[in-house]
Each structure stands twice: as structure tokens, then as C-alpha cells.
Amino acid sequence: MHQNASGNSNSESGRADKNSLPGSQTHHHMAPSNGNFLPNYSGADCLNKQGHTHSDMMGLSEGGGCNGGGVMGGSFLGSLGIPPGVIVMAMGSAAGGGISSEAGSAFQMTGGQRALTDCQQHTNPSPCPSSSPSSGATAGGGSSSGASGGGASSGAAAKRKRKRCGVCGPCRRLINCGVCSSCRNRKTGHQICKFRKCEELKKKPGSGGGTLEVRAPPAGHRAHCSLWRVSDTQGHFRTCLYTSRLQG
DNA sequence: TCTCACGTGTAG
DNA sequence: CTACACGTGAGA
């Protein structure tokens, strides 16, 4: 009908508003730059895994900073208002080094800040999804099979479906690409568009959400916004940004 | 009750 | 690893 731009036959396209983000429901007409992201989202997530880089759905437009090369040095951190002296570790899927995609995690690292983006906005009673895994693998637990079902019998709320963090790049994307496998196989796959798959949910529930190596800046370096990469448990590279400002 | 989407198993 | 399929939790 008169959905969004995406001419996908996917009855999804415009449905993003339905369950999408906390507080962002109003998907009136999406942000000017590109509808996939929410207005205030400055990062680009660079998920071009597939290569179909439909600019209109990838939403990488201005971000341009698609790569861990010191991308959001200023804007990203700046917009977060991270206090000086704080070591921030922003991670992003190596693919593009889009740190932003893990904004949520970044918040966790800095502590405190995160709340404002995620938890508070989520009306759901359950604890922030992003925090649970890192806190100690509460919900997800490690239980393998038994998926959902009454499996949780013993742990009661132990086996809860995790929910999108709502702050990562994919979560902020408003429309489905319509071309990824998930979109194409929606009928049977029951999966959300790959480009909208929450970064948090991509992680294994038991993987602690962000088990990454927290490294000190290279010896001799002052940790002034240096960027380098470390690989996480899944072999993905994460771009780490340290903005520690040593008090001289 | 329906739809969406997470979790998981299986196959290629 | 990706794609696919299905069960099922959760919300409308």
C-alpha cells in the first residue's frame, strides 16, 4: 500500500514500527538521510555482508565512516558525552568495523550511560537485554536445546527469549531490506531481516555478551583515542577505542 | 488468535 | 558458516 519507500512485496517493510524500538515507534517518515535509522543515530553500522548495498536500505549514507579507522572518534563519543578519563571500548563486527553497531555494548563499558538509551526506554519489566548477558548470563543461560518450551521449568524465568537492545545499529534500522535470506524466507524462516538483527541477539546468550579482551593501550602509548582491533570469541574483529585521557 | 521474531536443529 | 525450517514465547 503506502508503506515506506522499500517497494518490497514484503508485507514487512513498514511494519518495523510495530515492535521496533523503544520510544521510536513513530516511524512517520523516517529520517531524511535514510529511513533505516532513527534521527539521532549518528553511527553507521556497515553491515554490508551481502554486498547488495542498496543505499536506501543499508542506511550507510552519510556515516561513511564504515570502518574502524577512527570513525566516530569525535561525533560518536562526543554525542555520548562520555566523560574524560573513561576508557571506552566500542566494538563492531569486523565487517566494517562499525563500532556503532555495538553502541549498546559501548554503553555497558562506560557504565551508567547505557541506562539512558536502553533500559529506561524499554517498557518491558524485564531487565535490559543487553545487561543480562553480560551480567552473568541470566536469561539466556547456556542451556542448549529445550529452546523455549517448558524447558525453563526449573529455572522459572531462566529461559526467556531475549529482546532486541533497541540501540544498536540493526535495531535502529526501520525497514527490512527485503532481499536477505531472512526477508525472503520470512514465511518459513520466522526471522527478522538480517540487517535488523540486533547485535546483542547475535551473540550467544552465554557468551557474556561481550567477552572481549580489554587491553591496555600499547605500551608507550598514551591511549589517546587509539584504535586497534582484537578478536572476540567468535573470531570477529572488534574495533576498540580507548579514549582514556590521562591526567597529566 | 494472529503475527512477529528468538532459539535451535539440521542440511548443504 | 549460511540457509532453511520449525517450535514457541510474547505482544497486539
Side-chain angles (χ1 to χ4, degrees), chain A residues 33-50:
Chain A
S33 22
N34 90 62
N36 283 326
F37 293 106
L38 296 181
N40 60 356
Y41 187 57
S42 55
D45 57 352
C46 326
L47 302 166
N48 15 337
K49 307 169 64 172
Q50 308 238 345

Side-chain angles (χ1 to χ4, degrees), chain A residues 189-211:
Chain A
H190 305 167
Q191 290 292 314
I192 189 174
C193 171
K194 284 190 166 193
F195 298 106
R196 292 181 59 207
K197 183 74 174 182
C198 175
E199 290 292 338
E200 285 298 323
L201 296 179
K202 286 178 185 172
K203 301 171 187 170
K204 288 278 187 182
S207 69
T211 311

Side-chain angles (χ1 to χ4, degrees), chain A residues 105-130:
Chain A
S105 301
F107 283 128
Q108 290 180 24
M109 292 302 187
T110 58
Q113 293 272 356
R114 193 200 76 244
L116 96 185
T117 57
D118 192 3
C119 305
Q120 294 187 347
Q121 293 183 32
H122 276 299
T123 44
N124 64 342
S126 50
C128 316
S130 24

Side-chain angles (χ1 to χ4, degrees), chain A residues 5-121:
Chain A
S6 64
N8 299 319
S9 50
N10 237 329
S11 50
E12 294 291 320
S13 329
R15 212 173 43 40
D17 63 324
K18 189 181 174 198
N19 114 25
S20 62
L21 329 185
S24 67
Q25 315 305 57
T26 31
H27 78 299
H28 344 330
H29 238 278
M30 331 196 266
S33 22
N34 90 62
N36 283 326
F37 293 106
L38 296 181
N40 60 356
Y41 187 57
S42 55
D45 57 352
C46 326
L47 302 166
N48 15 337
K49 307 169 64 172
Q50 308 238 345
H52 335 287
T53 317
H54 293 226
S55 58
D56 63 319
M57 62 191 205
M58 296 304 296
L60 304 177
S61 56
E62 48 197 304
C66 213
N67 85 62
V71 199
M72 49 11 165
S75 58
F76 183 72
L77 293 174
S79 62
L80 295 180
I82 295 177
V86 172
I87 291 183
V88 176
M89 281 199 59
M91 305 82 78
S93 8
I99 298 177
S100 50
S101 54
E102 287 266 8
S105 301
F107 283 128
Q108 290 180 24
M109 292 302 187
T110 58
Q113 293 272 356
R114 193 200 76 244
L116 96 185
T117 57
D118 192 3
C119 305
Q120 294 187 347
Q121 293 183 32

Side-chain angles (χ1 to χ4, degrees), chain A residues 132-157:
Chain A
S132 24
S134 56
S135 290
T138 13
S143 27
S144 36
S145 50
S148 27
S153 49
S154 57

